[in-house]
Amino acid sequence: MRKPPAIVDLHTDTFLEDWEDYSPEELLQESIDFMRSNLDAAIYWEMNEIKFIHGKGKGMLKKMVFEELQEYKAHGSIERYYTSYQNEDIVVVVIGI
């Protein structure tokens, strides 16, 4: 498992070459899957924190990201998460290991 970067952009055009071939629902799911894989890697590598860029848009990605992080927190995988003070388009995840 590769160590993830400290800041991960969840916009599909940054990690999928053929993103235009996906439906909006598929793009959302790809972004969540990408977030999960990076968050799981950050936990594995015992990183203190990781940041995810979800952007503004209609807020669907942000909503799904926060729902997913709520599950991670409920299971004790992360300590907390919050909207970045510098940029509301970014969520900071404190792993707390």
Side-chain angles (χ1 to χ4, degrees):
M1 183 177 297
R2 290 176 34 172
K3 188 173 183 177
I7 301 174
V8 178
D9 191 341
L10 297 178
H11 294 94
T12 51
D13 61 338
T14 63
F15 63 89
L16 286 178
E17 289 185 25
D18 59 345
W19 63 272
E20 296 161 326
D21 297 335
Y22 290 76
S23 71
E25 294 80 18
E26 291 172 322
L27 290 173
L28 278 172
Q29 190 57 54
E30 288 291 332
S31 291
I32 293 302
D33 292 345
F34 189 63
M35 183 197 78
R36 282 185 194 134
S37 67
N38 280 281
L39 182 53
D40 290 344
I43 292 167
Y44 174 84
W45 284 98
E46 299 181 354
M47 294 172 64
N48 292 326
E49 72 176 31
I50 188 168
K51 297 176 183 176
F52 293 103
I53 302 171
H54 52 68
K56 289 183 178 138
K58 295 181 181 179
M60 286 303 299
L61 179 56
K62 179 179 180 177
K63 180 179 183 269
M64 289 181 70
V65 164
F66 276 76
E67 286 174 0
E68 190 69 25
L69 292 174
Q70 187 174 6
E71 289 295 319
Y72 272 83
K73 187 174 185 318
H75 288 96
S77 301
I78 62 173
E79 185 177 307
R80 67 183 185 280
Y81 58 92
Y82 57 91
T83 301
S84 170
Y85 303 120
Q86 290 85 19
N87 186 337
E88 64 184 26
D89 300 343
I90 297 173
V91 61
V92 178
V93 181
V94 179
I95 296 168
I97 294 176

